Amino acid sequence: MNLVIVESPSKAKTIQKYLGDDYSVTSSMGHIRDLPGNDKAIDIANNFTPHYEISEDKRKLVADLRKKAKAADLVWLATDEDREGEAIAWHLMEALELDPARVKRIVFHEITKQAILNAIKNPRSVDTDLVDAQQARRVLDRLVGYGLSPVLWRKVQRNLSAGRVQSVAVRLVVEREREIQQFSVTSQFRVLAEFTAGGKNFTAELPHRFDTEEQAYAFLEACKGATFTVNQLETKPSKKSPSAPFTTSTLQQEASRKLGLSLARTMKLAQDLYEGGHITYMRTDSVNLSDVAISATASHVSAEYGQEYSSPRKYTTKVASAQEAHEAIRPTDVLVRGAGETDSHRKLYELIWKRTVASQMSDAQLEKTTATISISTLPDVLVATGEVMVFDGFLKVYMEGTDDDGEKEDAKMLPALTVGQQLPLEVLRAQERFSRPPSRFTEASLVKKLEELGIGRPSTYAPTISTIQSRNYVVKEDRDGRERTVRELVMKGALVSTAIERHVSTEITGAERNKLFPTDIGGIVTDFLLKHFEDIMDYNFTATVEKQFDEIAEGARAWNAMIAEFYGPFKETLDRTSEHADRQSGERILGTDPRTGKPVSVRLARYGPIAQIGDADDPNKQQKGLPASQSMETITLEDALELFKFPRVLGDYQGKPIAVKVGRFGPYVDHDGTFASIPKGEDPLTITEERAIELVENRRKMLAERTLKEFPENPEVQILKGRWGPFLKIGKKNIRLPKDVDVASMTLEQCLALDTSEATASGKKTATDQEKPAKKAAKKTAAKKTTARKTAAKKSTSK
């Protein structure tokens, strides 16, 4: 009997139908072993030997797998083809105590019958170089995470963490935000002329802009009575080429732009499609397509669109150290136009299908025309450009998205023009335009930046972005813009008597959607790490480490020697910082309170950022927490003083005081335990008692309608109505209810039982590149002995 072990049940189900009854395909449910959550996981003195333990929730599974493996003639380890998959295969060998003579390692980059059968025909042994590379990453990240986190606890704030990749990612967001805040906006006047020719309107632009309104006005004034003549026409052919097939990062970026998907959601959908046999492996650096895939796509393009649309081509991977250089992400069968269980799966599959097919299609052929228009009264010229598509090529199927949110206009067709032709001026306008700061990162553009810097790998992008948000170093949110005035000068026609009109309008600027913003704690931690751990935070260091992992994977470097080379200087810096560094609170002195004459400052306190009136040792100092909308780096003295005007007691209602307060998430009305948010646009300093009562009663009505069932014997337990149906709320914890549950008949005991089963199900451990801080590490207390089975990792290869 042949036993095949893969990571997931869905993958096992797909492979089982290809292999038949001679094979039994089962799943390890992901990682089965990991480093324990204490500072004893790595034996530093013994050449950095890691000690792994079987996850508590995997003990029964491992025992079952061990039993099946003993009964099998051959064990086939079919985990993923990347380093992490190779490490899982090695852990299975170790934990199941498998005889290498009865073990075969197989890999495939797509789950199709042909790919699986080919893998069975071409087995190999576990690649210890790949295992060592993954082990080096795991050990290094544990040393960094468990080394830095306790220092942050002592020197900044408790419950903080740091990581080799996550801290650099936070630094990128922090520095981009500061660049934006320090950006000085300037305005210039852009001159546009609207002409008519052959009954069609078109626009020409002055190539340079004016710094002042007076200069723009003088230009328009000088154009009065002028004639406008086409003095040059230039037509050039141009082309657009298709983008390469998707890698992990480009798929994440495009799915974010076109489908609005988060990185984590994209990877979950892609993994489902891969395990269902619909696409190739979704963690890859490569843009390469196999010869078979190129041939099949070329045939499909020729048959579907015509021979002239087909242009088979190979792409070269730009990432020099691409570790998963097998194939790009593509459909396993280009003839299948739709795949996936849900609408989201189908949309992502369609995106992958279009990108793959377009990559093998012809260039789009364009013709670009530039018309230069002279002004009789001035030496300046106006320039009009137009574009005509001669052949659509790959654009028939796919157009790549862009992160550019700057001032960009699509080229339009120009009417037929001739040199020497005089053009009647319809309107000449000078519009005020403002310089733009750098764009804030989206999840997708941050991944693009990390990839450009050589930081991280396909398997780490999504976990890194998720980690920096879950640790509250970075938030992803929408923010409203602010209003500003815009000036415009308009001259209709070019008669000498034509008046120049001045218009002033308003526009909204700075509005953001799904952008990444650093939190105050993110900025403070970044500053602390940059000051004391400059090497760890250096972009080049992080990229160099990735190259060293690649060298280990190629067998050119010993993993523990690489770790030793890093750890010595790192440990010295850790000890020095822990002993001598000052505490960091990010304190800023904003000015003086005009009422008391005391200093006003902001700083990080135990429970978050605060504004303070008075010195630290002032027994009568006043403190207020900063709302989430305020930042320690940008708050002004006036903003801070506003916080001390609250709470505003408006009066009594139903025998209890009703007051306006400001919390972490903005202003709200508080009455007898009911908290009602004050809508945007309403001033908390002027809101009336009547309006406050209205908000409180509306809130109580909403809560009453939302509550489906309560339990007087335990008020913390409630069944509430949510957006996706009824759910159970126990304290601060929300638990989804089964679809067929009868809410009316549920008892308190059933609710508490659901809570227990939920806790058991969520006890699963996963291995990531970002380390969770441990209280044991921070307090430097000895870890309790565990009954979990621990195995000293065997030395993989002698380098």
Side-chain angles (χ1 to χ4, degrees), residues 194-252:
E194 297 175 16
F195 297 104
T196 301
K200 294 182 178 179
N201 293 333
F202 69 97
T203 301
E205 182 176 352
L206 190 68
H208 62 87
R209 300 187 179 190
F210 297 109
D211 292 330
T212 66
E213 182 179 346
E214 291 73 23
Q215 291 172 335
Y217 188 93
F219 177 83
L220 267 63
E221 188 71 36
C223 289
K224 288 183 179 181
T227 56
F228 300 86
T229 307
V230 178
N231 68 358
Q232 187 177 345
L233 281 172
E234 185 179 18
T235 301
K236 287 184 177 180
S238 65
K239 67 178 183 179
K240 287 183 179 178
S241 299
S243 299
F246 282 131
T247 62
T248 300
S249 67
T250 55
L251 175 63
Q252 291 170 336

Side-chain angles (χ1 to χ4, degrees), residues 145-212:
Y146 273 56
L148 293 179
S149 298
V151 176
L152 292 176
W153 281 42
R154 287 191 293 272
K155 302 299 182 180
V156 183
Q157 192 184 64
R158 292 178 63 82
N159 299 317
L160 296 179
S161 69
R164 180 182 59 85
V165 177
Q166 77 168 56
S167 296
V168 174
V170 174
R171 178 188 173 185
L172 282 168
V173 179
V174 168
E175 291 186 341
R176 175 62 57 87
E177 185 65 26
R178 288 173 178 169
E179 193 178 352
I180 292 169
Q181 296 301 333
Q182 293 166 9
F183 184 81
S184 179
V185 177
T186 59
S187 69
Q188 290 183 313
F189 284 82
R190 176 193 188 195
V191 176
L192 297 172
E194 297 175 16
F195 297 104
T196 301
K200 294 182 178 179
N201 293 333
F202 69 97
T203 301
E205 182 176 352
L206 190 68
H208 62 87
R209 300 187 179 190
F210 297 109
D211 292 330
T212 66

Side-chain angles (χ1 to χ4, degrees), residues 140-149 152 160-171 455 464 467-468 471 473 525 529 536-537 541-542 769-773:
L140 179 62
D141 288 342
R142 170 57 67 92
L143 291 172
V144 172
Y146 273 56
L148 293 179
S149 298
L152 292 176
L160 296 179
S161 69
R164 180 182 59 85
V165 177
Q166 77 168 56
S167 296
V168 174
V170 174
R171 178 188 173 185
I455 297 169
T464 297
T467 297
I468 64 177
R471 305 258 167 96
Y473 290 147
V525 168
L529 293 176
I536 296 292
M537 297 293 284
F541 164 77
T542 311
D769 283 316
Q770 314 302 333
E771 294 294 353
K772 295 182 179 179

Side-chain angles (χ1 to χ4, degrees), residues 192-470:
L192 297 172
E194 297 175 16
F195 297 104
T196 301
K200 294 182 178 179
N201 293 333
F202 69 97
T203 301
E205 182 176 352
L206 190 68
H208 62 87
R209 300 187 179 190
F210 297 109
D211 292 330
T212 66
E213 182 179 346
E214 291 73 23
Q215 291 172 335
Y217 188 93
F219 177 83
L220 267 63
E221 188 71 36
C223 289
K224 288 183 179 181
T227 56
F228 300 86
T229 307
V230 178
N231 68 358
Q232 187 177 345
L233 281 172
E234 185 179 18
T235 301
K236 287 184 177 180
S238 65
K239 67 178 183 179
K240 287 183 179 178
S241 299
S243 299
F246 282 131
T247 62
T248 300
S249 67
T250 55
L251 175 63
Q252 291 170 336
Q253 292 164 43
E254 196 74 340
S256 174
R257 297 183 195 111
K258 291 197 169 184
L259 305 180
L261 297 176
S262 68
L263 304 190
R265 180 68 174 152
T266 296
M267 294 310 292
K268 176 65 175 70
L269 294 172
Q271 182 161 340
D272 293 342
L273 290 171
Y274 165 68
E275 292 179 350
H278 303 305
I279 64 171
T280 53
Y281 191 53
M282 66 286 169
R283 288 198 286 267
T284 176
D285 282 334
S286 176
V287 293
N288 182 49
L289 293 179
S290 67
D291 292 338
V292 173
I294 291 174
S295 176
T297 306
S299 298
H300 172 76
V301 170
S302 296
E304 186 75 14
Y305 306 107
Q307 183 63 41
E308 67 274 19
Y309 281 91
S310 178
S311 179
R313 60 184 90 198
K314 284 183 175 288
Y315 293 87
T316 303
T317 301
K318 293 180 181 178
V319 181
S321 57
Q323 67 185 43
E324 286 79 38
H326 300 284
E327 268 201 88
I329 303 170
R330 61 164 177 84
T332 54
D333 185 352
V334 74
L335 297 180
V336 177
R337 287 297 304 266
E341 296 181 358
T342 68
D343 187 51
S344 294
H345 286 100
R346 288 186 285 273
K347 285 181 178 178
L348 188 64
Y349 178 84
E350 181 184 31
L351 192 67
I352 295 168
W353 186 91
K354 286 183 174 181
R355 177 81 164 224
T356 304
V357 171
S359 75
Q360 301 303 306
M361 294 178 71
S362 303
D363 294 339
Q365 302 297 328
L366 308 167
E367 193 173 77
K368 186 176 181 180
T369 301
T370 303
T372 305
I373 302 164
S374 64
I375 307 168
S376 63
T377 58
L378 289 167
D380 301 275
V381 295
L382 299 165
V383 177
T385 58
E387 204 170 66
V388 176
M389 186 175 293
V390 179
F391 174 64
D392 55 0
F394 76 94
L395 294 176
K396 196 174 192 72
V397 172
Y398 180 81
M399 168 67 86
E400 185 179 14
T402 177
D403 289 319
D404 182 20
D405 54 4
E407 187 180 288
K408 187 176 181 180
E409 297 178 2
D410 294 332
K412 298 178 181 179
M413 287 182 61
L414 292 178
L417 300 172
T418 58
V419 174
Q421 179 180 354
Q422 289 192 0
L423 301 171
L425 176 69
E426 297 294 327
V427 179
L428 187 63
R429 62 180 81 240
Q431 301 171 330
E432 187 176 21
R433 287 291 180 262
F434 298 88
S435 57
R436 293 171 177 265
S439 297
R440 289 183 174 89
F441 287 113
T442 61
E443 288 187 341
S445 62
L446 181 56
V447 164
K448 183 178 181 181
K449 187 66 176 179
L450 289 170
E451 187 179 40
E452 288 173 358
L453 293 172
I455 297 169
R457 283 294 180 263
S459 60
T460 67
Y461 295 140
T464 297
I465 306 302
S466 297
T467 297
I468 64 177
Q469 293 178 69
S470 65

